[in-house]
Amino acid sequence: MSLDPDAPLRFSPLHRLQWEEAQQRHVILYPEGLVELNATSAEILKRCDGEHTLRTIVEELERKYQTEGLTDDVREFLEIALENGWIETAA
Amino acid sequence: MKTAGSKPPLSPPRWLLAELTYACPLQCPYCSNPVDFARHKEELTTEGWKRVLSEAREMGAVQLGFSGGEPLTRPDLEELVAHARRLGYYSNLITSGYGLSAERIAALKAAGLDHIQVSIQAPEQDLSDWLAGTESFAHKKQVARWVKEQGYPMVLCVVIHRHNIEQMEGILEMAVELGADYLELANTQYYGWARLNRAQLMPTREQFERAEAVARRYKERLKGKMKIYYVIPDYYEDRPKACMNGWGTTFLTIAPDGAALPCHAARELPIDEFPNVRRMSIREIWEESEIFNRFRGFDWMPEPCRSCDEKTKDYGGCRCQAYLLTGDMTATDPVCAKSPHRHLIDQAIAEAEAPPEAPLVFRNPKASRRFFET
């Protein structure tokens, strides 16, 4: 199943995304678990606010990092995030 | 390669287990509390716990479990939860659910609690109530429903042993019925009261393999709906678990009286006195205390661990298991097939085929006092 580029994405209400000062990175927290994120992954997840889509996240990140061709990488990460339940498609 | 006597690298604690009290209305015969828990009566005050939470958070702890005994017996629980939320912890209430009302679940949510882990002993009333030593089954299921209704991730925990392992399917169906988001199937680990009752709790290899197959089938079927954590019974493995992710690397337990432990079972080790938060800061305890440094790194290891290429994976296994079975806390975990003491595990496995008749010893203050009163 491939991710619809125009489906709004939101961060899971059963997980928490937060900045950890001691680790100098974002982490995802959930029951019995903790995932340490690199800067790019955090930038993607922070945008999963119920309004952004794959397409708009890519647009913003390409602007922010002044680059092109991020679609495949962002899609791949979002699909992993969906599979892990960190994000969901907003109905 | 590290030179002998060099200091192993220090990582900050990530996981804090706050055992608020040893008081508990239940009497589970596999409780992980030390068998002599009734010896330790002086609980930390509210202010004492707040300081523990603040100091551990400052060092980097982020996952927090409120445990016990039964943490609901502390009337200041909501205040501690609110303090933890302000500090940025992700906090979990590990509870029997006994006496928990919908109102208190809501109050804890308002205070900032992230999730509640409810334990149920078995999927049917008589067995569950017998194991808990109290009539509690129906209410526990009600609590699980309230937890779910109020928007928490619902985490159900069932400890597995020979009295309920045949009901693995019933346990999984109960988790489905209650809408669990997470199910922890915790095969009994033989510490504390469980070690005392091992002969009456340990399943046979055949029972274990059948149950594991059921759990695996549901895990596949429920993928994406329910996350199943299957805690393996390490006696049936041939390599030890990487206990606590290595001593003094990740986990910190604070016992009700303020004793700081590298894991919640460590109080059974032959160590006269653990560092206490009443006298030392969390930083001093973590970085400088002799006990937290004792099994860090690899220099403390005996053979066969010392020259083993798997030591970076399992850190020599569990110090408590080594001590409880061999009498030597520096020994290789006897679960390891390379351990000279592996026969002790094999004996226990053989004994599970025909366990001696003996009653279960239920966990309560009266039974506990026998371990220190003469």
Side-chain angles (χ1 to χ4, degrees):
Chain A
M1 191 195 76
S2 179
L3 178 63
D4 174 356
D6 296 312
L9 301 163
R10 69 165 168 238
F11 196 78
S12 155
L14 299 185
H15 293 67
R16 197 204 290 170
L17 176 66
Q18 103 180 4
W19 171 255
E20 277 301 287
E21 194 58 34
Q23 301 185 53
Q24 290 294 302
R25 62 166 92 221
H26 279 85
V27 298
I28 300 172
L29 296 159
Y30 57 95
E32 310 293 321
L34 183 163
V35 178
E36 300 180 341
L37 297 168
N38 63 29
T40 339
S41 307
E43 286 301 326
I44 297 172
L45 291 177
K46 274 195 288 184
R47 286 172 171 76
C48 295
D49 54 4
E51 294 184 5
H52 280 76
T53 64
L54 167 61
R55 198 188 301 279
T56 59
I57 291 173
V58 168
E59 279 167 14
E60 280 184 24
L61 293 183
E62 289 182 346
R63 216 164 31 239
K64 183 178 164 84
Y65 295 110
Q66 308 222 318
T67 183
E68 281 175 22
L70 291 184
T71 304
D72 286 351
D73 288 346
V74 175
R75 177 196 298 277
E76 194 183 333
F77 177 73
L78 285 173
E79 281 172 355
I80 291 169
L82 271 169
E83 200 180 301
N84 283 302
W86 303 337
I87 59 168
E88 50 199 32
T89 48
Chain B
M1 217 178 104
K2 256 163 40 67
T3 51
S6 66
K7 271 199 159 179
L10 203 61
S11 55
R14 290 277 185 272
W15 232 281
L16 175 64
L17 187 69
E19 293 184 332
L20 299 181
T21 178
Y22 283 137
C24 188
L26 270 62
Q27 309 183 46
C28 307
Y30 44 73
C31 181
S32 65
N33 285 159
V35 289
D36 64 349
F37 72 85
R39 181 200 293 271
H40 309 283
K41 293 194 181 80
E42 289 279 302
E43 290 181 8
L44 290 181
T45 60
T46 308
E47 288 314 309
W49 277 116
K50 283 186 176 173
R51 189 172 58 80
V52 165
L53 299 180
S54 299
E55 290 181 5
R57 178 69 185 136
E58 198 174 309
M59 290 191 70
V62 59
Q63 279 277 3
L64 169 64
F66 288 108
S67 180
E70 174 49 69
L72 292 170
T73 62
R74 288 277 305 211
D76 56 357
L77 182 61
E78 286 79 348
E79 190 177 344
L80 297 177
V81 165
H83 186 69
R85 185 67 195 89
R86 276 194 296 276
L87 294 168
Y89 277 107
Y90 186 78
S91 57
N92 172 18
L93 175 67
I94 301 164
T95 179
S96 69
Y98 193 85
L100 186 54
S101 64
E103 291 72 27
R104 198 164 187 200
I105 294 172
L108 288 163
K109 179 113 187 153
L113 186 66
D114 290 287
H115 70 107
I116 298 181
Q117 178 185 311
V118 183
S119 67
I120 298 187
Q121 279 65 14
E124 48 116 334
Q125 176 148 6
D126 289 351
L127 181 60
S128 186
D129 288 353
W130 175 66
L131 288 164
T134 170
E135 205 173 297
S136 51
F137 178 71
H139 184 68
K140 280 166 174 284
K141 284 178 77 171
Q142 181 58 59
V143 166
R145 290 193 189 95
W146 284 330
V147 166
K148 178 85 182 169
E149 276 167 23
Q150 296 198 21
Y152 289 97
M154 215 282 268
V155 186
L156 186 67
C157 175
V158 183
V159 177
I160 309 294
H161 45 74
R162 70 184 302 134
H163 298 282
N164 66 5
I165 195 165
E166 301 280 357
Q167 290 157 359
M168 185 58 86
E169 199 150 342
I171 291 167
L172 282 145
E173 285 298 332
M174 174 174 74
V176 171
E177 178 207 322
L178 294 173
D181 297 293
Y182 296 81
L183 172 63
E184 191 170 321
L185 294 169
N187 278 287
T188 302
Q189 308 275 314
Y190 297 101
Y191 306 100
W193 295 81
R195 173 70 188 89
L196 192 67
N197 288 307
R198 188 181 69 187
Q200 277 67 49
L201 292 174
M202 196 156 135
T204 65
R205 185 181 290 275
E206 197 202 343
Q207 285 179 313
F208 155 64
E209 281 170 359
R210 247 194 336 256
E212 196 190 29
V214 173
R216 204 177 301 128
R217 178 154 53 82
Y218 273 80
K219 199 169 177 168
E220 193 52 40
R221 207 182 86 195
L222 297 171
K223 215 172 167 183
K225 291 199 203 88
M226 187 194 299
K227 208 162 180 172
I228 299 176
Y229 293 123
Y230 189 78
V231 180
I232 54 159
D234 58 355
Y235 278 42
Y236 287 116
E237 299 290 312
D238 59 7
R239 286 292 182 272
K241 56 183 176 275
C243 195
M244 296 293 122
N245 195 36
W247 179 276
T249 67
T250 312
F251 290 90
L252 171 65
T253 297
I254 305 296
D257 60 325
L261 313 171
C263 101
H264 56 277
R267 205 159 210 171
E268 294 193 284
L269 293 172
I271 288 171
D272 285 341
E273 208 181 355
F274 282 89
N276 195 295
V277 298
R278 293 176 204 264
R279 289 178 286 282
M280 288 170 87
S281 70
I282 298 285
R283 187 174 295 278
E284 286 171 312
I285 289 168
W286 187 260
E287 293 178 354
E288 291 161 31
S289 71
E290 188 275 327
I291 286 165
F292 275 75
N293 280 297
R294 194 177 293 184
F295 300 115
R296 277 189 176 134
F298 305 104
D299 289 346
W300 62 271
M301 287 180 174
E303 291 297 350
C305 292
R306 202 178 178 82
S307 57
C308 179
D309 59 5
E310 293 175 72
K311 68 182 172 191
T312 54
K313 267 194 281 182
D314 58 37
Y315 315 104
C318 171
R319 296 304 87 226
C320 303
Q321 189 143 279
Y323 171 68
L324 289 172
L325 296 180
T326 74
D328 174 6
M329 65 175 155
T330 68
T332 294
D333 187 331
V335 159
C336 187
K338 298 181 187 177
S339 158
H341 297 104
R342 171 69 206 191
H343 63 276
L344 297 171
I345 299 284
D346 294 331
Q347 271 166 20
I349 292 173
E351 199 183 89
E353 295 295 333
E357 283 287 327
L360 283 172
V361 182
F362 285 87
R363 177 246 194 243
N364 57 50
K366 187 166 172 243
S368 175
R369 278 194 288 273
R370 285 200 320 235
F371 293 94
F372 60 95
E373 282 177 359
T374 46

